[in-house]
Amino acid sequence: MFRTMEAARLETLHVVSDPSGLQALVAIHSSRLGPALGGCRYLSYPSEESALRDVVRLAASMSRKAALAGLPLGGGKAVILRPPYVASRAALFEVFGRFVDRLGGHFIAAIDSGTSSADMDCIARHTRHVACTSEEGDPAPHTALGVFAGIRATALARLGSDNLEDLRIAIQGLGKVGYALAEQLHAAGAELLVSDPDPGRVRLAVEAFGAHPLPCAELLCTPCDILAPCALGGVLDAPTIAHLRCAAVAGAANDQLVSEDLAEQLEARGILYAPDYVINAGGLIHAYYSHQGASSGVVAEHLLQIPQRLTDLYAHAQAEHCSPAWVAQQQADRLLYG
Ligand code: NAI
């Protein structure tokens, strides 16, 4: 455990085990730029080690995401291990809320995979250090908006135009973000290829956007202009990258690359990669500003800086003959450790 923490340069790791059945990990990667606002995952994990790996990796990405988005926030994440049976989900999240309160504002809880505004409302009964409540709203549509704008910036950099009409865009995962993204891409005239293990989500996209459904295993290597991973992390390993048939990868999923050096493999194949923690910052931007009580205009103004940030990264990377992921990492490290 200590080796994992050290390798990720994690500040603190909180382990929660409560007689109510709550088992959770809260990782605070960095508090240099401010309190750590991070999502709470509620998932069943195959092992405690995999939960630890997930929370540590995601907390580190949150530090970079907040730093590059110019937010006065550190980076952190929570995972609540989903039990096979729970008598009262609300009670479980309330206990978690009491724990978050004891952290005294060093960690601000938010929505992530498996949690909703209703869960945040339960946490909010015991602490004010929680964002994305019913009152503040779900960040997913804002994440999708940022990714959409980021896809346009990526198309401009790689294909010479930000007009998405008739571009073939493959979306992996039609959840909260993927479906909202599909809606915007369809409105912009893109041809959509989609996959999701949930046939109901796929049917909706086929009916509403004329999307072409593909089996999950085929989507990643299908010929397309832009691949948008919007499902799970760790989708791009070396063999998968060798089989990609796209000009660019630009999607919402956190931690898309199995390891950071794979950005160079993408670069070598001429595939432009939008660093995930840059393009998917819209949800964090929304969570932070709405928690501050800012207006939707302020949120929109900050969201619209995402495409410019990507354009600058791409130009910098081209000038330095390196990958945008490497430039993003250097910039974030300077802010976090410089
Ligand atoms: P979600 O849980 O609503 O949707 C994920 C979707 O992916 C589900 O429909 C699921 O069935 C599908 N899926 C799972 N395995 C798949 C596979 N092998 N192939 C195709 N589809 C598969 O999650 P959400 O909120 O839409 O987030 C999507 C991704 O974006 C996640 O990686 C999340 O961490 C990341 N993200 C989300 C943010 C948000 O505001 N919700 C913010 C930043 C990142």
Side-chain angles (χ1 to χ4, degrees):
M1 180 175 71
F2 290 111
R3 211 163 339 135
T4 307
M5 288 179 70
E6 214 174 293
R9 303 170 87 164
L10 201 73
E11 272 179 17
T12 53
L13 178 68
H14 303 270
V15 182
V16 190
S17 178
D18 184 88
S20 64
L22 173 72
Q23 290 187 326
L25 298 170
V26 178
I28 297 184
H29 175 261
S30 170
S31 55
R32 177 162 177 179
L33 302 175
L37 193 160
C40 303
R41 290 203 155 176
Y42 182 55
L43 300 174
S44 44
Y45 284 90
S47 65
E48 289 174 10
E49 289 71 27
S50 63
L52 176 67
R53 265 197 310 276
D54 207 26
V55 80
V56 170
R57 234 164 42 119
L58 290 163
S61 299
M62 290 306 288
S63 295
R64 289 180 176 170
K65 192 184 300 195
L68 290 189
L71 298 170
L73 292 173
K77 207 80 176 185
V79 301
I80 300 175
L81 282 73
R82 188 181 195 131
Y85 167 77
V86 61
S88 164
R89 177 173 173 133
L92 194 82
F93 279 88
E94 286 204 31
V95 175
F96 184 68
R98 286 195 195 98
F99 173 74
V100 170
D101 199 55
R102 286 204 293 277
L103 294 178
H106 292 294
F107 177 73
I108 304 169
I111 292 183
D112 205 297
S113 298
T115 54
S116 64
S117 288
D119 298 321
M120 300 304 116
D121 292 347
C122 295
I123 295 174
R125 286 184 198 133
H126 300 279
T127 184
R128 61 191 169 86
H129 305 301
V130 55
C132 312
T133 55
S134 303
E135 203 180 313
E136 294 175 15
D138 189 329
H142 305 273
T143 303
L145 208 63
V147 173
F148 174 72
I151 285 179
R152 289 179 66 132
T154 305
L156 180 63
R158 180 63 180 80
L159 305 167
S161 165
D162 67 354
N163 184 353
L164 304 182
E165 214 171 326
D166 297 331
L167 285 195
R168 279 167 66 88
I169 302 187
I171 307 178
Q172 184 196 40
L174 291 166
K176 285 183 288 185
V177 178
Y179 192 84
L181 176 64
E183 198 167 16
Q184 293 170 53
L185 291 171
H186 172 66
E191 182 187 352
L192 300 180
L193 308 151
V194 297
S195 75
D196 196 295
D198 179 343
R201 307 289 301 173
V202 174
R203 203 166 38 246
L204 276 177
V206 169
E207 285 167 7
F209 317 128
H212 309 291
L214 284 172
C216 290
E218 278 175 33
L219 185 105
L220 290 176
C221 54
T222 199
C224 62
D225 294 296
I226 296 178
L227 170 68
C230 296
L232 311 169
V235 280
L236 299 176
D237 57 13
T240 308
I241 292 174
H243 288 100
L244 292 181
R245 292 159 79 191
C246 57
V249 174
N254 281 312
D255 290 323
Q256 291 166 30
L257 304 178
V258 167
S259 62
E260 284 173 355
D261 56 308
L262 291 169
E264 305 310 321
Q265 192 187 339
L266 284 163
E267 192 68 10
R269 288 215 49 216
I271 298 170
L272 185 60
Y273 172 64
D276 46 24
Y277 53 86
V278 179
I279 194 170
N280 74 11
L284 179 64
I285 290 168
H286 173 263
Y288 172 72
Y289 285 107
S290 59
H291 191 56
Q292 295 293 312
S295 68
S296 55
V298 171
V299 175
E301 186 191 315
H302 284 84
L303 261 179
L304 292 176
Q305 291 173 10
I306 291 176
Q308 188 57 50
R309 209 164 282 133
L310 283 169
T311 302
D312 293 347
L313 270 183
Y314 296 149
H316 195 136
Q318 199 176 21
E320 304 265 319
H321 304 291
C322 57
S323 70
W326 192 84
V327 177
Q329 190 189 326
Q330 296 302 306
Q331 291 182 354
D333 284 357
R334 264 196 302 280
L335 291 164
L336 293 168
Y337 311 113

